[in-house]
Amino acid sequence: MEQTQNAVLSVRNMSMNFGGLRALSDVDVEVRSGEIVALIGPNGAGKTTFFNCITGIYTPSEGQVLAYPTNGRKMRADGARSDGVRINGMRTNLVCELGMARTFQNIRLFPSMTALENVMIGRHCRTRAGILGAVLRGPKARREEQEVVDRSYQLLKKVGLEKVANEYSRNLPYGAQRRLEIARALATEPFLLLLDEPAAGMNPQETLELKEMVIRIREEFQVSVLLIEHDMKMVMSLSDRIYVMEYGRVISTGTPAEVSADPQVIRAYLGEESDA
Amino acid sequence: MAVANLLGNLKKSAIAALWLAFLTLPVMVIRVDTVEKTVTWRWMHLAYMLVGSFVLAVAWHFLMDRRDRGAANRDSGGGETQSALSLWLENPSVMRPLMAFGLLVAVAFPWVFSMYQTNILISALIYVVLGLGLNITVGLAGLLDLGYVAFYAVGAYAYALLNHHFQLGFWTVLPLGAILGAFFGILLGFPVLRLRGDYLAIVTLGFGQIVRLVLENWSAFSNGPAGISNISRPGLFGVTYGVDQATTYIYYIMLALVVLTIFVTARLKDSRIGRAWLALREDEIACQAMGIDNTRAKLMAFALGATLASLMGVVFAAKTTYINPASFTFMESAMILAIVVLGGMGSVLGVILGAFLLILLPEYMRAFSEYRMLIFGATMILVMVFRPQGLIRAKRKVYKINTEAA
């Protein structure tokens, strides 16, 4: 597969086997700089498995996952693009450090930490204070800590949670927890934001607000977004391109209009007509 | 509503008391003397049984109701209910003078009370540090370590052996013991990196047993169950002390170590590292997905906890001047874990309180020493049912935010 000039993530021929079960086969996905790309498909199509494969939670059985960070790290000195970082099999925390941050389908916040602290966790991989710094609290450690608090608070503000900064995250309403997860992911300074069903369980109004927030975030943080979503209205109006998955394969790809006209997709979603 | 509830409870308690009295009738009331061939009917015992079980049942129902009401309050969005005690303790205008007063009492203690009392307090202080050390591993990082006492043994034997063979002094071995403890912590940490929960508990339990069994059976190395005696008490620049002075001296060393440990753990709790530990405890996958190196965080937690235990081992050996493997049984690990759980996982103040309660109470209630384990067990059950978060709930720091910052 040819590599597009400004890709930030390029997944080639990726397959994932769990024993004899082939959860993903020959998946090709590409996300370009500044794009919002959606991954849709029926339940069990392998969307979350795909996320887990590219974030290092699983190691893909076959294929390549290449990232091209645009956030300054791993760029060649002459400013030209590096050849990409091979991230299949990379440890999850290093993938995050590289600049790919995700949220989870079933919210995975740290319940007995405050909202602010949840975001501060995201700053962990961008800060350095060690045990000595923590105990002695020298000027450098103090400055770093203050910076972490300030930046985290700003991020909370961006997702509209500044009023509940010191609330335990378990006490936040559902929609707020979803937004907090996004803020936490943004705190890691990603170039690619991976959202796993961000609108799940939200009402139409909240979904609309979420959509606007994702667009705002893309502009403001210069991130590309890859999201899994079931809400078709949101997917169609938000994404630049869509990949449709079924039984672990990508069955269709293109702009929302192209995809929604694809007979394969219609078949996957509505079922086959009994007689032609 | 409340009255109906109360009546209902009284009725339930009465039925429970009657039933229990009936069940225990043959044991409690009838006494057959096979020698004299007489049967005595001790009806008073029936009355004791009735009254006792009735009172206990009423108390139980009352506490259960209270707990359920508390849970309902929390669920209906009333926020966290705070116990009066922890609210009171959090107020800095109460906390500061209290701390100063506590420190003053602690400093004056050996001059006011007898050597016997001072010795007991040294033990309690040792357990405070052990509790705070285990609190890092279990309370903050969520790594259930049932073999914690092994690190304590490492420190104690390090001092005993180095002192016995090479005549090394207390102050030389103290840092050595700390390093050795950290080393052993990492040694245990590596194989258990992938384990969590029950599996981790079993492996650490095994580790604790291995260390004890090695000490017990490798006589050439550790002198086996006979232990090592005549360990030097700590000196200062070549000055050696008699028993009484040495006790006072160790007391002050211990006090300094406790203050240091409190300082270190309290600061760590709200630092970058402390947050990483907490995240690890709350959700390991999310923690790693947010860029935290799980391996590093876990090893650090194990190493720090082990360092503190090992330090305490050195002090313990210096205090008792005699150690043997019997001091490092699983019971000790369980005790330290109980201190952490009873006090409140993750709460520094809670663990200190837990250590004092669990170590000092049995000392001063020697009259009930036969029932010690019974009371201990019952207390743990009651605490877990009615206050699963421990005596003092761990609280997260409330950050002051500089809203002007761009």
Side-chain angles (χ1 to χ4, degrees):
Chain A
M1 189 180 150
E2 204 177 308
Q3 200 234 300
T4 323
Q5 204 53 53
N6 55 354
V8 291
L9 174 75
S10 159
V11 178
R12 296 173 198 169
N13 304 319
M14 187 173 77
S15 299
M16 180 73 211
N17 303 324
F18 294 108
L21 179 78
R22 202 165 173 83
L24 295 173
S25 57
D26 286 329
V27 175
D28 282 312
V29 169
E30 193 175 78
V31 181
R32 296 167 203 148
S33 180
E35 257 188 335
I36 295 179
V37 176
L39 199 59
I40 63 171
N43 286 329
K47 304 181 297 292
T48 298
T49 306
F50 175 82
F51 261 34
N52 287 342
C53 280
I54 61 175
T55 52
I57 291 177
Y58 301 149
T59 303
S61 314
E62 293 155 36
Q64 288 268 20
V65 183
L66 294 170
Y68 305 88
T70 56
N71 49 2
R73 285 176 293 276
K74 312 275 180 195
M75 286 274 272
R76 286 223 303 255
D78 55 6
R81 297 179 59 83
S82 66
D83 294 331
V85 187
R86 192 166 179 275
I87 56 174
N88 35 337
M90 199 186 237
R91 297 184 46 193
T92 308
N93 57 306
L94 294 179
V95 172
C96 177
E97 206 172 318
L98 192 68
M100 292 169 55
R102 71 173 292 180
T103 65
F104 294 88
Q105 183 177 355
N106 27 16
I107 302 172
R108 300 191 89 142
L109 288 166
F110 308 117
S112 53
M113 297 173 86
T114 63
L116 187 69
E117 282 183 315
N118 267 277
V119 183
M120 287 165 83
I121 285 292
R123 298 297 305 156
H124 186 94
C125 61
R126 302 285 173 243
T127 44
R128 286 286 151 259
I131 291 182
L132 272 184
V135 174
L136 300 178
R137 280 195 196 157
K140 206 173 140 211
R142 268 212 304 272
R143 213 175 315 122
E144 187 184 271
E145 183 77 2
Q146 192 55 47
E147 190 243 56
V148 169
V149 173
D150 289 344
R151 285 192 76 151
S152 304
Y153 183 73
Q154 291 309 317
L155 281 166
L156 278 182
K157 232 174 172 173
K158 294 267 191 277
V159 297
L161 292 174
E162 73 273 18
K163 288 207 176 61
V164 290
N166 283 317
E167 289 287 329
Y168 286 98
S169 67
R170 62 166 176 261
N171 295 340
L172 297 182
Y174 187 80
Q177 294 197 2
R178 288 241 170 248
R179 280 180 285 146
L180 181 56
E181 258 203 324
I182 295 177
R184 184 179 68 177
L186 283 174
T188 65
E189 295 175 28
F191 65 86
L192 177 63
L193 193 58
L194 305 161
L195 306 176
D196 196 346
E197 297 199 25
M202 285 189 171
N203 64 33
Q205 179 57 33
E206 287 174 320
T207 308
L208 194 69
E209 283 167 16
L210 177 76
K211 189 183 110 185
E212 280 159 7
M213 198 175 88
V214 172
I215 294 171
R216 213 172 56 233
I217 283 170
R218 165 170 67 168
E219 299 306 324
E220 215 169 312
F221 295 89
Q222 302 282 310
V223 289
S224 317
V225 180
L226 176 60
L227 75 154
I228 295 174
E229 191 46 71
H230 277 302
D231 188 317
M232 280 307 141
K233 219 174 111 199
M234 173 170 170
V235 167
M236 291 299 164
S237 56
L238 177 65
S239 20
D240 298 314
R241 281 187 311 118
I242 294 176
Y243 287 88
V244 188
M245 289 183 75
E246 191 192 16
Y247 299 123
R249 291 172 188 283
V250 173
I251 56 166
S252 177
T253 171
T255 61
E258 286 166 9
V259 162
S260 52
D262 189 332
Q264 285 231 57
V265 178
I266 295 167
R267 186 183 49 76
Y269 268 86
L270 301 177
E272 205 133 16
E273 277 182 56
S274 50
D275 55 324
Chain B
M1 165 70 202
V3 177
N5 212 346
L6 186 70
L7 282 177
N9 282 346
L10 287 178
K11 195 177 143 199
K12 268 189 268 179
S13 308
I15 292 171
L18 278 172
W19 182 237
L20 197 69
F22 173 70
L23 282 181
T24 53
L25 190 83
V27 187
M28 298 299 292
V29 178
I30 305 168
R31 179 165 171 188
V32 181
D33 194 323
T34 45
V35 182
E36 304 263 319
K37 296 205 164 65
T38 53
V39 176
T40 351
W41 294 77
R42 300 169 298 175
W43 290 111
M44 270 322 277
H45 285 214
L46 185 73
Y48 294 151
M49 205 61 213
L50 271 170
V51 173
S53 51
F54 181 72
V55 168
L56 279 179
V58 169
W60 176 263
H61 282 302
F62 172 73
L63 286 171
M64 277 308 238
D65 274 1
R66 223 181 66 141
R67 185 185 75 148
D68 292 346
R69 241 179 299 134
N73 273 343
R74 263 199 303 287
D75 289 344
S76 62
E80 306 292 320
T81 44
Q82 283 282 318
S83 74
L85 177 73
S86 63
L87 263 183
W88 186 68
L89 281 175
E90 258 155 47
N91 189 347
S93 62
V94 174
M95 193 60 202
R96 293 247 168 78
L98 205 68
M99 267 166 73
F101 178 72
L103 203 64
L104 206 71
V105 170
V107 169
F109 195 88
W111 307 105
V112 180
F113 293 95
S114 66
M115 272 311 113
Y116 171 71
Q117 305 290 345
T118 310
N119 255 319
I120 291 175
L121 200 59
I122 294 175
S123 309
L125 291 179
I126 287 178
Y127 278 92
V128 166
V129 176
L130 286 172
L132 287 172
L134 189 62
N135 187 37
I136 293 177
T137 323
V138 179
L140 293 180
L143 306 163
L144 184 51
D145 184 351
L146 292 182
Y148 190 62
V149 79
F151 305 123
Y152 188 38
V154 165
Y157 269 87
Y159 180 46
L161 291 172
L162 288 173
N163 186 257
H164 182 76
H165 293 300
F166 305 106
Q167 281 75 48
L168 290 185
F170 176 80
W171 291 108
T172 323
V173 180
L174 200 62
L176 282 178
I179 294 166
L180 210 63
F183 172 74
F184 268 82
I186 291 170
L187 199 71
L188 170 67
F190 264 114
V192 302
L193 276 175
R194 287 164 178 282
L195 306 177
R196 57 184 93 154
D198 322 0
Y199 305 101
L200 178 67
I202 290 170
V203 174
T204 52
L205 178 67
F207 178 78
Q209 294 303 309
I210 288 170
V211 168
R212 188 181 58 83
L213 285 171
V214 165
L215 292 176
E216 215 153 75
N217 294 304
W218 191 6
S219 298
F221 171 72
S222 68
N223 207 18
I228 300 169
S229 50
N230 283 327
I231 304 166
S232 311
R233 293 197 169 82
L236 187 64
F237 302 118
V239 183
T240 45
Y241 295 106
V243 180
D244 280 11
Q245 286 153 314
T247 307
T248 314
Y249 186 43
I250 292 175
Y251 174 80
Y252 282 119
I253 293 171
M254 234 3 264
L255 196 61
L257 284 173
V258 165
V259 170
L260 186 74
T261 312
I262 294 173
F263 180 77
V264 168
T265 47
R267 283 206 156 178
L268 273 176
K269 194 165 83 92
D270 288 314
S271 70
R272 174 173 174 268
I273 311 281
R275 285 193 298 270
W277 283 334
L278 231 66
L280 187 71
R281 178 186 82 185
E282 304 276 289
D283 190 326
E284 195 166 336
I285 290 187
C287 166
Q288 208 177 0
M290 286 304 117
I292 290 171
D293 189 340
N294 282 12
T295 311
R296 253 178 87 91
K298 280 187 187 179
L299 289 181
M300 236 189 243
F302 269 118
L304 260 174
T307 305
L308 287 174
S310 186
L311 277 177
M312 285 310 101
V314 176
V315 176
F316 175 72
K319 174 194 170 242
T320 53
T321 71
Y322 166 74
I323 56 167
N324 70 351
S327 306
F328 309 105
T329 55
F330 171 66
M331 204 41 228
E332 288 298 304
S333 285
M335 194 71 178
I336 303 166
L337 188 65
I339 286 172
V340 175
V341 175
L342 179 89
M345 291 221 268
S347 158
V348 172
L349 196 62
V351 171
I352 297 170
L353 203 66
F356 278 122
L357 279 179
L358 284 188
I359 303 305
L360 293 185
L361 278 187
E363 286 296 340
Y364 291 117
M365 311 237 297
R366 287 224 173 256
F368 302 102
S369 61
E370 279 176 48
Y371 304 103
R372 187 175 162 181
M373 288 325 281
L374 191 72
I375 296 171
F376 182 68
T379 314
M380 287 314 283
I381 291 173
L382 286 175
V383 169
M384 284 307 98
V385 170
F386 295 111
R387 238 189 127 66
Q389 68 276 36
L391 293 177
I392 294 182
R393 182 200 286 271
K395 289 260 301 175
R396 296 307 302 162
K397 185 173 171 180
V398 173
Y399 286 91
K400 289 203 179 49
I401 290 129
N402 180 8
T403 36
E404 278 98 79

